[in-house]
Amino acid sequence: MSYSIHDQIPTTVSGLKSKAKVLVRRNGLKLHEALDDVARESGAYDYQHFCHLYGGDRAKIASFRHEIILEQDWGYPAFGKIQRIGLRVPLSKPIEEFAFRGIGCLPRIRVRRRRGNCFLIEACNFSQESFARADLTRAARTIQFCDATGLIPATSRSVSSFPDPSYRSLDHCSAWMNPDSGRAIFVDEQYVNPRGHFGGTFEENGQPWCQENDFVWRRPKWAGMYRPEDRTDFVVMSHRLRGEPLGPIVQRLEKYRPAILNWTGDFIC
């Protein structure tokens, strides 16, 4: 299976610059815009963050000695045309050491079957390979979010005393908690492009909500879980007194290597 340069996700600074120059010629972008765009596709917040993640200390990347493989089927069963693709997800520790009971408890991940370190993920849309790739990379980013922060999905008890942060009609808010302290944080990943505007930007709706409900918020230099390739805005929120402190979480996310995956290469299972 072959892909164009648009499908190749760089993991070196020189590779990022090469792809950015191609996009400058093809799309008429300014170089700094193309550098930031390609960096975000790779899971970084911008070009400078990409350089921080991938520039120089290769030994730290090599320390991610553990991995799982996410798989998904796509095609047309009525015609017997089914293919399976897979994505390798590097982790800092074995998946069995994560504090949750399984990746199937994470938002927007449904596991059909597990064999060893391979997880077959239920498809959101079975018809196209591009949908399968999007599902797997979204699952990979969510798993690595847990790896970086040590957070797990929030229980109803951990969030029951807080007001509901779904202050507009979004379908990709999520609640998380520190399994040791039981304290919760909320994540908001709203589209910032016009086609995704349901009810305004975070500054228009989210920030006033935080002020009214005594929440603090941060926007980490981290691409996010949901759809960073489509410019979703990643924001973490926590109650000022009873929530999980945001500083350590933001620090872990911004230092996490390898960067959260977009599509780093696939294989046919």
Side-chain angles (χ1 to χ4, degrees):
M1 186 177 299
S2 62
Y3 295 101
S4 70
I5 192 170
H6 291 284
D7 299 300
Q8 298 170 5
I9 305 301
T11 56
T12 64
V13 174
S14 60
L16 182 143
K17 289 181 177 178
S18 296
K19 181 173 180 179
K21 290 176 182 178
V22 172
L23 298 184
V24 167
R25 293 194 298 269
R26 291 185 178 180
N27 301 335
L29 298 175
K30 295 180 180 179
L31 181 58
H32 71 89
E33 295 174 336
L35 289 170
D36 285 343
D37 282 351
V38 177
R40 189 171 176 85
E41 290 176 2
S42 301
Y45 184 80
D46 55 19
Y47 172 66
Q48 293 300 323
H49 186 220
F50 182 96
C51 292
H52 169 72
L53 292 170
Y54 288 108
D57 187 4
R58 308 301 296 179
K60 191 170 182 180
I61 295 178
S63 69
F64 283 70
R65 298 185 298 271
H66 307 279
E67 73 169 17
I68 60 174
I69 298 173
L70 304 180
E71 302 173 345
Q72 191 168 113
D73 294 334
W74 71 278
Y76 303 93
F79 301 100
K81 296 181 179 179
I82 303 297
Q83 296 189 65
R84 180 172 297 176
I85 59 173
L87 178 65
R88 298 182 185 276
V89 185
L91 300 171
S92 67
K93 57 182 177 289
I95 194 67
E96 288 77 16
E97 294 183 8
F98 281 54
F100 48 74
R101 285 186 284 179
I103 67 171
C105 72
L106 300 179
R108 296 176 288 272
I109 300 178
R110 291 184 295 173
V111 179
R112 289 177 54 192
R113 186 182 68 241
R114 177 182 181 179
R115 291 181 178 175
N117 71 333
C118 296
F119 296 81
L120 182 61
I121 305 300
E122 185 73 35
C124 293
N125 188 318
F126 198 69
S127 61
Q128 296 182 30
E129 182 186 2
S130 60
F131 294 139
R133 291 167 61 186
D135 280 353
L136 294 188
T137 51
R138 186 163 52 246
R141 290 190 297 262
T142 303
I143 295 164
Q144 289 193 317
F145 170 81
C146 297
D147 192 24
T149 64
L151 298 175
I152 65 173
T155 62
S156 58
R157 180 178 180 179
S158 67
V159 298
S160 60
S161 62
F162 299 121
D164 184 0
S166 301
Y167 39 79
R168 50 193 188 279
S169 55
L170 298 178
D171 62 354
H172 38 87
C173 294
S174 55
W176 303 83
M177 62 177 281
N178 181 330
D180 297 321
S181 68
R183 295 189 173 193
I185 74 163
F186 299 95
V187 170
D188 182 18
E189 299 185 78
Q190 183 186 352
Y191 286 109
V192 298
N193 58 351
R195 79 173 178 84
H197 265 185
F198 294 103
T201 65
F202 180 82
E203 280 72 18
E204 292 168 342
N205 285 337
Q207 188 171 348
W209 182 91
C210 287
Q211 293 171 347
E212 292 169 6
N213 294 281
D214 204 22
F215 270 59
V216 293
W217 64 278
R218 297 278 297 273
R219 185 179 278 115
K221 290 186 175 180
W222 190 83
M225 291 175 280
Y226 185 63
R227 291 192 66 84
E229 67 274 18
D230 286 339
R231 296 289 181 179
T232 49
D233 189 18
F234 182 76
V235 177
V236 293
M237 303 173 287
S238 180
H239 191 270
R240 191 180 304 275
L241 299 177
R242 292 179 283 115
E244 182 70 12
L246 295 181
I249 294 171
V250 170
Q251 186 178 40
R252 291 176 199 141
L253 283 171
E254 294 185 347
K255 291 184 176 181
Y256 186 75
R257 302 172 69 164
I260 301 305
L261 299 170
N262 193 291
W263 189 256
T264 54
D266 65 338
F267 55 90
I268 302 299
C269 303

